[in-house]
């Protein structure tokens, strides 16, 4: 990612097998492609693809079919959008390993990790960062995918240190995230 890229987010419709699912994979893929094209045509340099429609989320690992479906959708985006359009993957809620698998398989540019280091109280309970495991898995895959990590992730309260400067430094230096994300307290 460049230092000042304008990135959007493509929120997937609820994937099959999730509590709110009413769509088939083809419909979800078409909608995601339409959303990405709109962002591209509006001048955005990239987008994060995330399974936001799957709410309510599970803390930790998602089911294997979520990884498979997100890989199919991300591959279609990579196939139909110019290569200079940066693509990121976020598998909610906080499945960095799944995001790394999807991103590495489709040559995405980066993953977004909501809680990379430390821990946060969320509507899914306590979510703990897995920076070591994420970096180890990236290394095992010999992946060039970058890690973009939230500092004070939205929809959460930090469990422990809440000083944004300390958290940002720890996320970058100790967690080895290449990019830091700072958002408001809620989506939208």
């Amino acid at each position: 990612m460049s230092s000042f890229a304008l990135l959007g987010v493509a929120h997937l419709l609820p994937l099959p097998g999730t509590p709110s699912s009413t769509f088939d994979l083809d419909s979800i893929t078409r909608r995601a492609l339409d959303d990405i094209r709109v962002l591209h045509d509006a001048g955005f340099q990239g987008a994060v693809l995330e399974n936001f429609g799957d709410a309510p989320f599970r803390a930790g690992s998602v089911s294997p079919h979520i990884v498979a479906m997100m890989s199919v959708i991300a591959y279609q985006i990579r196939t139909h959008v110019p290569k200079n359009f940066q693509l990121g993957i976020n598998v909610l809620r906080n499945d960095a390993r799944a995001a790394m698998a999807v991103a590495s398989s489709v040559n995405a540019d980066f993953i977004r990790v909501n809680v990379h280091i430390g821990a946060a109280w969320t509507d899914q309970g306590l979510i703990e960062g897995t920076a070591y495991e994420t970096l180890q898995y990236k290394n095992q895959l010999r992946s060039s995918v970058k890690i973009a990590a939230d500092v004070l992730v939205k929809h959460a309260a930090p469990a422990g240190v809440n000083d944004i400067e300390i958290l940002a430094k720890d996320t970058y230096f100790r967690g080895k995230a290449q990019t830091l994300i700072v958002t408001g307290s809620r989506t939208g």
Side-chain angles (χ1 to χ4, degrees), residues 141-162:
L141 295 177
R142 298 176 191 229
S143 178
S144 61
V145 170
K146 293 182 175 24
I147 297 172
D150 283 84
V151 177
L152 293 175
V153 66
K154 58 189 173 180
H155 302 280
V161 174
N162 65 358

Side-chain angles (χ1 to χ4, degrees), residues 154-167:
K154 58 189 173 180
H155 302 280
V161 174
N162 65 358
D163 181 296
I164 194 166
E165 183 179 351
I166 291 170
L167 290 170

Side-chain angles (χ1 to χ4, degrees), residues 3 14 19 31-33 40 55 62 65-66 116 124 163:
S3 298
R31 168 72 178 276
L33 281 167
H40 177 267
V62 298
H65 69 276
I66 301 298
H116 186 56
Q124 293 78 39
D163 181 296

Side-chain angles (χ1 to χ4, degrees), residues 42-98:
F44 284 71
Q45 286 87 37
V48 177
L49 180 71
E50 67 179 27
N51 58 324
F52 188 76
D54 290 353
F57 307 113
R58 294 175 47 175
S61 299
V62 298
S63 298
H65 69 276
I66 301 298
V67 178
M69 287 185 272
M70 288 188 71
S71 295
V72 167
I73 296 166
Y75 177 78
Q76 289 299 317
I77 290 167
R78 267 299 191 220
T79 302
H80 290 93
V81 177
K83 295 290 184 208
N84 64 344
F85 187 82
Q86 296 177 55
L87 180 62
I89 306 294
N90 186 16
V91 180
L92 299 167
R93 176 73 183 219
N94 214 58
D95 194 342
R97 192 173 161 96

Side-chain angles (χ1 to χ4, degrees), residues 24-47:
D24 62 59
L25 186 57
D26 288 339
S27 299
I28 297 166
T29 302
R30 281 193 302 276
R31 168 72 178 276
L33 281 167
D34 289 344
D35 289 349
I36 293 291
R37 285 187 186 113
V38 166
L39 291 169
H40 177 267
D41 294 348
F44 284 71
Q45 286 87 37

